[in-house]
Amino acid sequence: MGGDERTQFPSGHQPIVQRRPGDPRQSVPFAPAGSPRMPGAREDDATSPPQSAPGSARPPIETYSGGAPRDRVVEDGRFGELFVLFIINVLLGILTLGIYRFWGKTRIRKYIWSRASFRGERFEYSGTGLELFIGFLFALLIFGPPFFGFYAWIYFDPPPQNPDPTNPVHFQRLMEIYAVAIVLVIVTFYFMHVATFAAYRYRLSRTQWRGIRGSVSGSAWTYGFLGFGLSMLNGISMGWTKPWADTVLLKYRLNQTMIGSAPLVCNIEAGKLYPSFALAWIVTMVATVVAIGGIVSIFVSLTDLRTGRTDPPAMTVLIVLVLLYLLIPVVWLATINFYRAALIRQTAATSRLSGLAFAFPVGGWRLLWFNFSNFFLVLISLGLLLPLVILRYARFVAEYLRVDGDMDYAQVRQSESKGPRYGEGIAEFFGMGVI
Amino acid sequence: MEEFRGYFSDGRTAEMRPALVRLGASALGVRGERGEALAEWPYRDLRLLEEVYAGQPVRLRSRNGGDARLVVRDPGFLDAVSRHSRHLHGNNMQRTRALPRILGWGGATIATLIALYFGLPVLAEPIAAVMPLSWEERMGRSVRGQVLALLGRNSRECAGPEGKAAIEALVNRLAATVETRYRFDVVVVDNGLVNAFAAPGGYIVVFRGLIDKASSAEEVAGVLAHEMGHVIERHGTEALIRQLGMSAIFGAMLGDASGIGSTAADIGSQLAVLSYGRAAEREADAVGVDMLNRADIRGAGLVGFFRRIGKETGDDGKGILRYLGTHPPTGERAADIEARAAGRGDAMSAAEWQALRRICAAGR
């Protein structure tokens, strides 16, 4: 990925809003989908071309030039400052039995958001710790009884030791436990998808830029069913529906996202994602064949064919066995980065926001290194370098995200929705997400 | 009157206009380029959008100002406005030093951890005292089940009917000497471990190894009385509450609320390998010796048993349920028991003792 290439935009892109006619979202550039005219909008809104077109009489007012590049997000967070925040969060978390973490999270987010700026204006995180805390209490109220009740049930009324499946009492007891456990697992998977959407909605609604906040319409319950059903489908198809499923979920989120009155439009299609996915899938399959072949041949070589006895493997052989076993997940986690990079590139390239177009020209190797180094940093520091990883994410976006086009700030109105009152409770309950 | 240049957004569109900020007597006034009034924010309503570090712009909103935002980049602005709005100082990080804050909170955290570590055990006793009997009994059954599960196949319950009758009679005889809410339930398990333990709520487990090693029924009676003493004094219940409390609190501190339930399930099995501590052992001794005295059973057997077992097995550190490991004998303890033991009679008849020694033989 050359330095020059990064600033290139996908070919054929028009930096202005004049796109395919007939798309109702685009006929009114700055109005939300489904409402041809916002209340209070000026008469000429729907008819006149966007004011932001290059060469128009009134250029958008940039509040701060300061040499800030127009095509990228600038990130100026400092590790030292964030590290102090992080350490104090850990200490206060211990002191308050973990309750402070909601306020701590908010503090970190406010720092990260405010240290990223676009076209001279910093982002703002307007959520509060109390909103996260109340969200968590609601989730605890709803999910606590079944989950903690299950533990209590097993604890106070333990299943039989040495269960005998032919004993009808034992059998019924085991079936009861399995049935409840399976229901809880299904509930967990479903609600993790619900939580993904709800957390996205909450964060968008608490993210402001130039005073304008984001909003997400649509239903988290629907998204939950969609996510749950598609992940089942991915299992049945051995992964081959994953690129398509990912675009479905992504579009459900992005195409219901608005920044103020400006709708985000994403037209990503799965077709271009399949080459990189096929690469990851096939390489992983080869690794699987190698690993299973290796493991089987080692066991055969250790087995005396006449007596059928297997010798215990020597230490070196044992290490080889473990490495072979680890080969499959490691290869999958490595190669999937090439697919992920393609997904990110395509998402950016096919997204439009008002007059803005995007590019995120990251390559597979770069993403692989980014994820591997982050994992390694957290691992060797026992989590202490988590703030560095957070900062690296922000810097990564700043390094790759490119934005082209103009936005007429006067035409982007504030979102009518204030967003959810409380946030991220379910995600917190199921332990999803660090920041 | 102080004046600063900034940018103002009314929060209705994304437009931000150049603005002039004036610090008035009771409010901050914002005017546009042509002098038009844009906002008048009382000082007490001012809020910073985030903590302001050195070199960062000052971004303000008003508590009642909706989405309107004011941005001022002048480095002197925050100090100037803070003179009117004192509450903004808390979010001013321009001159805050990190080290004193880290050391302060770190010290407070360590002090709290120490206080909790020593404070929690004190709370366990009153909590155990008010716990309903049915809870204690359920916990006890669970602990017994877990300890036996730990032993796997070597946890068969011995079923010799005469032997069972003999040991149950002995337990009932001892229990009759005290007023207690507990209904004792004793089982002998076919396992060579020289040990016995009491789970909360009156569930006593004696291993065959202990009966094999005992030279008389009075020695078994001594061990039983001691274990019953643990139940009556609620040592197991208190230990369980301490453990649960610790794991709940430290789990919450480390941010793993969901792990508490599963940790709770493991604690029972830990309980058996924990010693209750010297004070608890002496308490159980005292209650046990009182019971033996009132039932008129020779109490010196317990002392002899301790000493003989100590000599024979030594302490090789093996075996998770070694009696000496969980019941550390001391000279002091032995002397106390010897001094207080006043019983003269037998624990059971010779026929009963022989039946008890064969309790595991049936059904093998």
Side-chain angles (χ1 to χ4, degrees), chain A residues 58 61 63-64 76 81 84-85 88 91-92 94-95 97-98 101 107 110-111 114-115 120-124 148 151 155-156 161 208 210 212-213 409-410 412-414, chain B residues 7 9 11-16 49-51 53 56-57 59 67 69 71 73 98 101-102 105-106 108-109 112 139 142 145-146 149 240 249 252-253 258 261 264-265:
Chain A
R58 185 163 59 85
I61 299 169
T63 48
Y64 179 68
D76 64 358
E81 291 168 352
V84 171
L85 273 186
I88 290 180
L91 292 175
L92 284 172
I94 293 173
L95 271 177
L97 302 185
R101 97 172 93 156
R107 236 179 136 190
K110 276 181 181 289
Y111 183 86
S114 70
R115 288 314 193 81
E121 206 50 59
R122 285 164 190 277
F123 290 89
E124 172 195 345
F148 295 135
Y151 285 129
Y155 181 65
F156 284 118
Q161 281 98 40
Q208 292 179 248
R210 302 181 72 98
I212 299 299
R213 72 180 157 264
Y409 299 135
V412 178
R413 287 179 299 275
Q414 182 61 283
Chain B
Y7 290 90
S9 155
R12 285 193 279 275
T13 71
E15 195 166 37
M16 295 196 81
L49 300 190
E50 60 263 321
E51 292 168 312
Y53 289 84
Q56 297 295 307
R59 308 201 295 173
D67 293 313
R69 299 286 187 266
V71 183
R73 292 196 164 74
R101 286 194 300 150
I102 290 179
W105 287 119
T109 306
T112 309
M139 264 166 42
S142 175
Q146 286 173 40
L240 216 57
I249 283 174
M253 282 178 165
S258 60

Side-chain angles (χ1 to χ4, degrees), chain B residues 6-261:
Chain B
Y7 290 90
F8 180 80
S9 155
D10 61 8
R12 285 193 279 275
T13 71
E15 195 166 37
M16 295 196 81
R17 326 180 188 187
L20 214 57
V21 183
R22 272 188 193 167
L23 299 180
S26 64
L28 172 153
V30 185
R31 290 183 175 276
E33 278 180 313
R34 291 185 296 275
E36 73 277 22
L38 296 175
E40 185 85 4
W41 287 347
Y43 286 125
R44 63 173 182 284
D45 288 351
L46 292 184
R47 300 286 182 275
L48 286 166
L49 300 190
E50 60 263 321
E51 292 168 312
V52 182
Y53 289 84
Q56 297 295 307
V58 179
R59 308 201 295 173
L60 285 168
R61 65 183 176 89
S62 170
R63 203 162 61 89
N64 301 314
D67 293 313
R69 299 286 187 266
L70 176 67
V71 183
V72 178
R73 292 196 164 74
D74 188 323
F77 176 66
L78 185 55
D79 285 335
V81 74
S82 295
R83 278 195 281 280
H84 301 279
S85 304
R86 299 229 149 252
H87 61 275
L88 299 184
H89 274 302
N91 285 331
N92 183 351
M93 313 294 276
Q94 287 173 340
R95 283 180 295 274
T96 315
R97 290 171 159 272
L99 199 62
R101 286 194 300 150
I102 290 179
L103 290 181
W105 287 119
T109 306
I110 290 168
T112 309
L113 288 181
I114 291 171
L116 276 177
Y117 187 79
F118 291 104
L120 270 182
V122 178
L123 284 176
E125 205 173 320
I127 295 174
V130 298
M131 186 177 265
L133 179 62
S134 61
W135 289 23
E136 258 191 289
E137 287 180 342
R138 281 182 155 216
M139 264 166 42
R141 277 199 295 275
S142 175
V143 167
R144 182 177 66 180
Q146 286 173 40
V147 172
L148 296 185
L150 205 70
L151 298 170
R153 285 157 193 261
N154 301 320
S155 63
R156 188 182 67 91
E157 189 184 327
C158 298
E162 292 95 3
K164 276 185 78 130
I167 198 166
E168 277 166 13
L170 177 57
V171 166
N172 288 339
R173 190 173 148 204
L174 288 168
T177 63
V178 283
E179 261 188 44
T180 175
R181 64 175 185 164
Y182 299 106
R183 295 184 296 265
F184 290 94
D185 173 321
V186 62
V187 291
V188 178
V189 166
D190 191 3
N191 191 303
L193 289 165
V194 184
N195 208 340
F197 76 89
Y203 295 91
I204 293 171
V205 175
V206 179
F207 295 106
R208 174 179 48 74
L210 186 129
I211 296 173
D212 289 349
K213 284 280 178 199
S215 62
S216 69
E218 286 68 39
E219 292 185 1
V220 175
V223 170
L224 278 175
H226 172 88
E227 294 302 332
M228 289 166 79
H230 277 312
V231 172
I232 292 166
E233 295 293 321
R234 300 195 186 94
H235 293 144
T237 314
E238 286 168 13
L240 216 57
I241 291 170
R242 273 198 300 274
Q243 287 272 345
L244 270 173
M246 288 275 186
S247 76
I249 283 174
F250 289 105
M253 282 178 165
L254 298 173
D256 181 22
S258 60
I260 294 169

Side-chain angles (χ1 to χ4, degrees), chain A residues 10-57:
Chain A
S11 57
H13 156 60
Q14 300 286 310
I16 322 165
V17 255
Q18 294 153 345
R19 274 167 309 206
R20 284 180 299 168
D23 184 339
R25 282 172 161 273
Q26 291 164 0
S27 62
V28 184
F30 303 111
S35 74
R37 269 187 51 202
M38 297 289 291
R42 286 204 309 275
E43 192 58 44
D44 58 0
D45 270 6
T47 50
S48 65
Q51 296 289 304
S52 58
S56 78

Side-chain angles (χ1 to χ4, degrees), chain A residues 270-319:
Chain A
K272 287 188 175 172
L273 303 174
Y274 270 94
S276 56
F277 182 80
L279 175 83
W281 197 93
I282 290 166
V283 172
T284 306
M285 265 307 136
V286 171
T288 307
V289 170
V290 169
I292 291 175
I295 290 170
V296 168
S297 60
I298 285 176
F299 272 106
V300 168
S301 70
L302 288 174
T303 306
D304 189 327
L305 289 177
R306 276 164 304 179
T307 62
R309 231 181 249 157
T310 306
D311 294 329
M315 192 43 109
T316 46
V317 179
L318 211 60
I319 292 171

